[in-house]
Amino acid sequence: MEIERKYLVQKLPEDLDSFPFRELEQGYLCTDPVIRIRKDDDRYELTYKSGGLMVREEYNLPLTEEAYQHLLPKVDGRLIRKRRYRIPLTDTLTIELDLFRGDLAPLVLAEVEFPDKASANSFTPPHWFGEDVTFSSQYHNSNLSKK
């Protein structure tokens, strides 16, 4: 189960370079249901996500690089490339800040994953977060992948 809130970000934190990041590349084999392949630095995975906005089922399976390369030409729409920073927020919460590359730039989204719906519903975002787009499917990566 994935429970997360998502926000547009207009102004990046000043100390962004002090946080670790990964380079992600992901494409969608299907968007209903969501079936995604992802390269995360040197790790590869296949993901299934159910429908929903703030709460969704999510299953991840490891892929080999060869399997990823085999599936890559089967991607529908655009291949999404982004840099993901991991920024600690509390002892239990981390911000995943995505800076999109290519034709999706300069889009920046922040996501925070929660242990339960109550925590997600009572969340107060940091001052540098912008509009809450949790309940807008427009900002799901599967929809951003559509050209």
Side-chain angles (χ1 to χ4, degrees):
M1 179 78 64
E2 175 185 66
I3 303 169
E4 68 183 13
R5 300 285 300 265
K6 186 179 288 198
Y7 299 83
L8 290 173
V9 174
Q10 305 299 327
K11 184 177 186 302
L12 298 176
E14 291 181 21
D15 57 347
L16 186 61
D17 291 335
S18 67
F19 298 105
F21 66 86
R22 303 182 326 263
E23 297 293 339
L24 303 179
E25 175 181 276
Q26 62 192 48
Y28 292 82
L29 305 175
C30 185
T31 57
D32 188 21
V34 171
I35 301 174
R36 174 188 76 200
I37 58 171
R38 176 185 276 173
K39 177 180 187 243
D40 183 343
D41 283 340
D42 60 353
R43 293 182 310 125
Y44 304 87
E45 65 184 13
L46 174 78
T47 300
Y48 163 84
K49 289 188 178 199
S50 69
L53 296 172
M54 186 174 76
V55 179
R56 303 197 299 173
E57 293 290 330
E58 180 178 307
Y59 302 96
N60 296 302
L61 299 169
L63 285 177
T64 63
E65 180 179 3
E66 294 75 26
Y68 177 82
Q69 293 299 331
H70 175 77
L71 292 169
L72 203 52
K74 297 165 177 49
V75 165
D76 286 337
R78 70 168 57 93
L79 188 65
I80 294 176
R81 291 183 174 88
K82 57 189 177 179
R83 175 173 283 184
R84 173 170 286 173
Y85 288 88
R86 292 186 48 84
I87 303 170
L89 186 59
T90 68
D91 290 343
T92 58
L93 298 178
T94 300
I95 299 166
E96 291 186 332
L97 184 68
D98 290 344
L99 281 64
F100 288 80
R101 308 244 191 243
D103 61 347
L104 287 173
L107 179 63
V108 179
L109 291 171
E111 298 178 351
V112 180
E113 195 163 326
F114 299 90
D116 53 57
K117 283 197 260 186
S119 300
N121 287 327
S122 66
F123 178 66
T124 301
H127 70 279
W128 54 272
F129 278 26
E131 179 185 352
D132 183 343
V133 295
T134 301
F135 299 101
S136 171
S137 62
Q138 173 185 352
Y139 292 99
H140 280 184
N141 283 280
S142 58
N143 286 328
L144 292 173
S145 74
K146 297 175 183 174
K147 289 188 176 178

